[in-house]
Amino acid sequence: MYSYDEPVYLISVVAKILNIHPQTLRQYEREGLIEPGRTDGKMRLYSQRDIDKIKTILRLTRDLGVNLAGVDIVLRLKERLDEMDNELEELRQNLEKIRCQEDGISKGSIVTKRSSYEIIVFKED
């Protein structure tokens, strides 16, 4: 089984899966919206992450009428929000560790974030 980020799909396969022309994928690459992997022979290879990103691009352009410049802005903002979410979650975990140490709570306490909800699981001793 391949990982989510491993480039394994040829451009013709991706075009067929998504029912788009291969030239559309090349245009998305020229615009900097996607960056497929390359073989030693310079053939484009797409990962499942690339395919999911292309689906997002298609949803924005087809369903919402966003042009490619707008798609670029939306994707950059989404990436930035994801980075900030990860950073915020890391800070929350660090804060929870500090609070546990100060309060003498077992290190078995785990805090994980799901979407915008926090789930707290306490390990029973």
Side-chain angles (χ1 to χ4, degrees), residues 39-67:
T39 65
D40 292 336
K42 304 294 182 193
M43 292 176 58
R44 291 172 178 86
L45 290 177
Y46 296 83
S47 67
Q48 187 60 49
R49 182 179 304 279
D50 294 328
I51 292 173
D52 290 345
K53 190 172 185 179
I54 295 164
K55 286 179 183 178
T56 300
I57 294 168
L58 292 172
R59 206 171 307 120
L60 288 167
T61 56
R62 289 179 178 170
D63 299 341
L64 299 175
V66 179
N67 65 22

Short mmCIF file of all heavy atoms in Angstrom, two decimals, residues 39-67:
data_model
loop_
_atom_site.label_atom_id
_atom_site.label_comp_id
_atom_site.label_asym_id
_atom_site.label_seq_id
_atom_site.Cartn_x
_atom_site.Cartn_y
_atom_site.Cartn_z
N THR A 39 9.44 11.56 -12.24
CA THR A 39 10.33 10.41 -12.35
C THR A 39 11.67 10.92 -12.86
O THR A 39 11.82 12.09 -13.22
CB THR A 39 9.77 9.36 -13.34
OG1 THR A 39 9.75 9.94 -14.65
CG2 THR A 39 8.38 8.90 -12.93
N ASP A 40 12.64 10.02 -12.95
CA ASP A 40 13.94 10.41 -13.51
C ASP A 40 13.79 10.84 -14.96
O ASP A 40 14.55 11.66 -15.46
CB ASP A 40 14.93 9.24 -13.40
CG ASP A 40 15.30 8.96 -11.96
OD1 ASP A 40 15.18 9.88 -11.12
OD2 ASP A 40 15.70 7.82 -11.66
N GLY A 41 12.78 10.30 -15.64
CA GLY A 41 12.51 10.66 -17.03
C GLY A 41 11.61 11.87 -17.16
O GLY A 41 11.10 12.15 -18.23
N LYS A 42 11.38 12.58 -16.06
CA LYS A 42 10.59 13.82 -16.00
C LYS A 42 9.09 13.62 -16.20
O LYS A 42 8.36 14.55 -16.48
CB LYS A 42 11.09 14.86 -17.03
CG LYS A 42 12.55 15.22 -16.91
CD LYS A 42 12.81 15.94 -15.62
CE LYS A 42 14.28 16.31 -15.55
NZ LYS A 42 14.69 16.74 -14.26
N MET A 43 8.59 12.38 -16.05
CA MET A 43 7.15 12.14 -16.13
C MET A 43 6.50 12.59 -14.82
O MET A 43 7.04 12.36 -13.74
CB MET A 43 6.86 10.66 -16.38
CG MET A 43 7.29 10.18 -17.74
SD MET A 43 7.04 8.41 -17.98
CE MET A 43 5.30 8.25 -17.71
N ARG A 44 5.33 13.22 -14.93
CA ARG A 44 4.61 13.67 -13.74
C ARG A 44 3.99 12.47 -13.02
O ARG A 44 3.38 11.61 -13.65
CB ARG A 44 3.50 14.63 -14.13
CG ARG A 44 3.96 15.95 -14.65
CD ARG A 44 2.76 16.75 -15.18
NE ARG A 44 3.15 18.05 -15.65
CZ ARG A 44 3.61 18.30 -16.87
NH1 ARG A 44 3.75 17.33 -17.74
NH2 ARG A 44 3.94 19.54 -17.22
N LEU A 45 4.13 12.47 -11.70
CA LEU A 45 3.48 11.47 -10.86
C LEU A 45 2.74 12.18 -9.75
O LEU A 45 3.30 13.04 -9.07
CB LEU A 45 4.50 10.49 -10.26
CG LEU A 45 5.17 9.51 -11.21
CD1 LEU A 45 6.19 8.67 -10.46
CD2 LEU A 45 4.13 8.60 -11.86
N TYR A 46 1.49 11.81 -9.55
CA TYR A 46 0.63 12.46 -8.57
C TYR A 46 0.37 11.54 -7.39
O TYR A 46 0.20 10.34 -7.56
CB TYR A 46 -0.71 12.85 -9.21
CG TYR A 46 -0.57 13.87 -10.32
CD1 TYR A 46 -0.24 13.49 -11.61
CD2 TYR A 46 -0.75 15.22 -10.06
CE1 TYR A 46 -0.11 14.43 -12.62
CE2 TYR A 46 -0.61 16.17 -11.06
CZ TYR A 46 -0.29 15.76 -12.33
OH TYR A 46 -0.15 16.69 -13.33
N SER A 47 0.31 12.12 -6.21
CA SER A 47 -0.01 11.36 -4.99
C SER A 47 -1.51 11.50 -4.72
O SER A 47 -2.21 12.30 -5.36
CB SER A 47 0.76 11.93 -3.80
OG SER A 47 0.31 13.23 -3.49
N GLN A 48 -1.99 10.75 -3.75
CA GLN A 48 -3.39 10.88 -3.36
C GLN A 48 -3.65 12.28 -2.80
O GLN A 48 -4.70 12.86 -3.01
CB GLN A 48 -3.77 9.82 -2.32
CG GLN A 48 -5.26 9.80 -2.00
CD GLN A 48 -6.13 9.53 -3.21
OE1 GLN A 48 -5.88 8.59 -3.95
NE2 GLN A 48 -7.14 10.36 -3.42
N ARG A 49 -2.66 12.86 -2.11
CA ARG A 49 -2.80 14.23 -1.60
C ARG A 49 -2.97 15.21 -2.77
O ARG A 49 -3.81 16.12 -2.71
CB ARG A 49 -1.58 14.64 -0.77
CG ARG A 49 -1.72 16.05 -0.18
CD ARG A 49 -0.54 16.46 0.68
NE ARG A 49 -0.24 15.56 1.76
CZ ARG A 49 -0.88 15.55 2.94
NH1 ARG A 49 -1.87 16.38 3.15
NH2 ARG A 49 -0.53 14.70 3.88
N ASP A 50 -2.20 15.01 -3.85
CA ASP A 50 -2.35 15.85 -5.04
C ASP A 50 -3.75 15.74 -5.62
O ASP A 50 -4.37 16.74 -5.99
CB ASP A 50 -1.32 15.48 -6.11
CG ASP A 50 0.11 15.76 -5.71
OD1 ASP A 50 0.35 16.73 -4.96
OD2 ASP A 50 1.00 15.00 -6.15
N ILE A 51 -4.26 14.52 -5.70
CA ILE A 51 -5.59 14.29 -6.25
C ILE A 51 -6.64 14.98 -5.40
O ILE A 51 -7.55 15.63 -5.93
CB ILE A 51 -5.87 12.77 -6.39
CG1 ILE A 51 -4.97 12.18 -7.48
CG2 ILE A 51 -7.34 12.51 -6.71
CD1 ILE A 51 -5.03 10.67 -7.59
N ASP A 52 -6.52 14.89 -4.10
CA ASP A 52 -7.47 15.55 -3.21
C ASP A 52 -7.40 17.07 -3.37
O ASP A 52 -8.42 17.76 -3.34
CB ASP A 52 -7.23 15.15 -1.76
CG ASP A 52 -7.63 13.70 -1.49
OD1 ASP A 52 -8.35 13.10 -2.32
OD2 ASP A 52 -7.21 13.17 -0.45
N LYS A 53 -6.20 17.59 -3.56
CA LYS A 53 -6.04 19.03 -3.76
C LYS A 53 -6.67 19.45 -5.09
O LYS A 53 -7.32 20.49 -5.17
CB LYS A 53 -4.55 19.41 -3.73
CG LYS A 53 -4.29 20.88 -3.70
CD LYS A 53 -2.82 21.17 -3.46
CE LYS A 53 -2.54 22.63 -3.30
NZ LYS A 53 -1.12 22.90 -3.05
N ILE A 54 -6.50 18.63 -6.11
CA ILE A 54 -7.11 18.92 -7.42
C ILE A 54 -8.63 18.89 -7.30
O ILE A 54 -9.32 19.73 -7.88
CB ILE A 54 -6.60 17.93 -8.49
CG1 ILE A 54 -5.11 18.12 -8.71
CG2 ILE A 54 -7.37 18.12 -9.80
CD1 ILE A 54 -4.43 16.99 -9.45
N LYS A 55 -9.16 17.95 -6.52
CA LYS A 55 -10.61 17.92 -6.29
C LYS A 55 -11.09 19.21 -5.65
O LYS A 55 -12.15 19.74 -6.00
CB LYS A 55 -10.98 16.73 -5.40
CG LYS A 55 -10.91 15.39 -6.10
CD LYS A 55 -11.28 14.28 -5.13
CE LYS A 55 -11.16 12.91 -5.77
NZ LYS A 55 -11.48 11.83 -4.79
N THR A 56 -10.32 19.73 -4.72
CA THR A 56 -10.66 21.00 -4.08
C THR A 56 -10.64 22.13 -5.10
O THR A 56 -11.54 22.97 -5.13
CB THR A 56 -9.67 21.32 -2.93
OG1 THR A 56 -9.74 20.27 -1.97
CG2 THR A 56 -9.97 22.65 -2.28
N ILE A 57 -9.62 22.14 -5.95
CA ILE A 57 -9.53 23.16 -7.01
C ILE A 57 -10.74 23.08 -7.92
O ILE A 57 -11.36 24.10 -8.25
CB ILE A 57 -8.21 22.99 -7.81
CG1 ILE A 57 -7.00 23.27 -6.92
CG2 ILE A 57 -8.22 23.90 -9.04
CD1 ILE A 57 -5.68 22.85 -7.53
N LEU A 58 -11.10 21.87 -8.31
CA LEU A 58 -12.25 21.69 -9.20
C LEU A 58 -13.54 22.14 -8.51
O LEU A 58 -14.41 22.75 -9.15
CB LEU A 58 -12.36 20.23 -9.64
CG LEU A 58 -11.25 19.74 -10.57
CD1 LEU A 58 -11.34 18.24 -10.78
CD2 LEU A 58 -11.28 20.48 -11.90
N ARG A 59 -13.69 21.85 -7.23
CA ARG A 59 -14.87 22.27 -6.49
C ARG A 59 -14.96 23.80 -6.45
O ARG A 59 -16.03 24.38 -6.65
CB ARG A 59 -14.81 21.69 -5.07
CG ARG A 59 -16.15 21.50 -4.43
CD ARG A 59 -16.10 20.74 -3.12
NE ARG A 59 -15.40 19.45 -3.23
CZ ARG A 59 -14.31 19.11 -2.56
NH1 ARG A 59 -13.78 19.93 -1.67
NH2 ARG A 59 -13.74 17.94 -2.72
N LEU A 60 -13.82 24.43 -6.20
CA LEU A 60 -13.80 25.89 -6.15
C LEU A 60 -14.12 26.52 -7.50
O LEU A 60 -14.89 27.48 -7.59
CB LEU A 60 -12.44 26.39 -5.65
CG LEU A 60 -12.13 26.18 -4.17
CD1 LEU A 60 -10.65 26.42 -3.89
CD2 LEU A 60 -13.00 27.08 -3.31
N THR A 61 -13.54 25.97 -8.55
CA THR A 61 -13.73 26.57 -9.88
C THR A 61 -15.09 26.22 -10.47
O THR A 61 -15.79 27.10 -10.98
CB THR A 61 -12.61 26.14 -10.86
OG1 THR A 61 -12.56 24.71 -10.93
CG2 THR A 61 -11.28 26.71 -10.44
N ARG A 62 -15.48 24.97 -10.40
CA ARG A 62 -16.74 24.54 -11.03
C ARG A 62 -17.96 24.91 -10.22
O ARG A 62 -18.93 25.44 -10.75
CB ARG A 62 -16.72 23.02 -11.23
CG ARG A 62 -15.76 22.56 -12.30
CD ARG A 62 -15.80 21.07 -12.42
NE ARG A 62 -14.90 20.59 -13.47
CZ ARG A 62 -14.59 19.32 -13.65
NH1 ARG A 62 -15.10 18.39 -12.87
NH2 ARG A 62 -13.79 18.98 -14.63
N ASP A 63 -17.94 24.60 -8.94
CA ASP A 63 -19.13 24.78 -8.10
C ASP A 63 -19.28 26.19 -7.57
O ASP A 63 -20.39 26.68 -7.40
CB ASP A 63 -19.12 23.80 -6.92
CG ASP A 63 -19.11 22.34 -7.37
OD1 ASP A 63 -19.47 22.07 -8.54
OD2 ASP A 63 -18.75 21.47 -6.56
N LEU A 64 -18.16 26.85 -7.28
CA LEU A 64 -18.23 28.17 -6.66
C LEU A 64 -17.83 29.31 -7.60
O LEU A 64 -17.91 30.47 -7.23
CB LEU A 64 -17.35 28.20 -5.41
CG LEU A 64 -17.75 27.20 -4.32
CD1 LEU A 64 -16.74 27.22 -3.18
CD2 LEU A 64 -19.15 27.48 -3.82
N GLY A 65 -17.35 28.98 -8.80
CA GLY A 65 -17.03 30.00 -9.79
C GLY A 65 -15.79 30.82 -9.47
O GLY A 65 -15.64 31.93 -9.98
N VAL A 66 -14.89 30.26 -8.67
CA VAL A 66 -13.67 30.98 -8.32
C VAL A 66 -12.65 30.83 -9.46
O VAL A 66 -12.48 29.74 -10.01
CB VAL A 66 -13.07 30.42 -7.01
CG1 VAL A 66 -11.78 31.13 -6.64
CG2 VAL A 66 -14.09 30.51 -5.88
N ASN A 67 -12.00 31.93 -9.85
CA ASN A 67 -10.97 31.82 -10.88
C ASN A 67 -9.68 31.29 -10.27
O ASN A 67 -9.56 31.16 -9.05
CB ASN A 67 -10.77 33.16 -11.61
CG ASN A 67 -10.22 34.25 -10.71
OD1 ASN A 67 -9.61 33.98 -9.68
ND2 ASN A 67 -10.44 35.49 -11.11
#
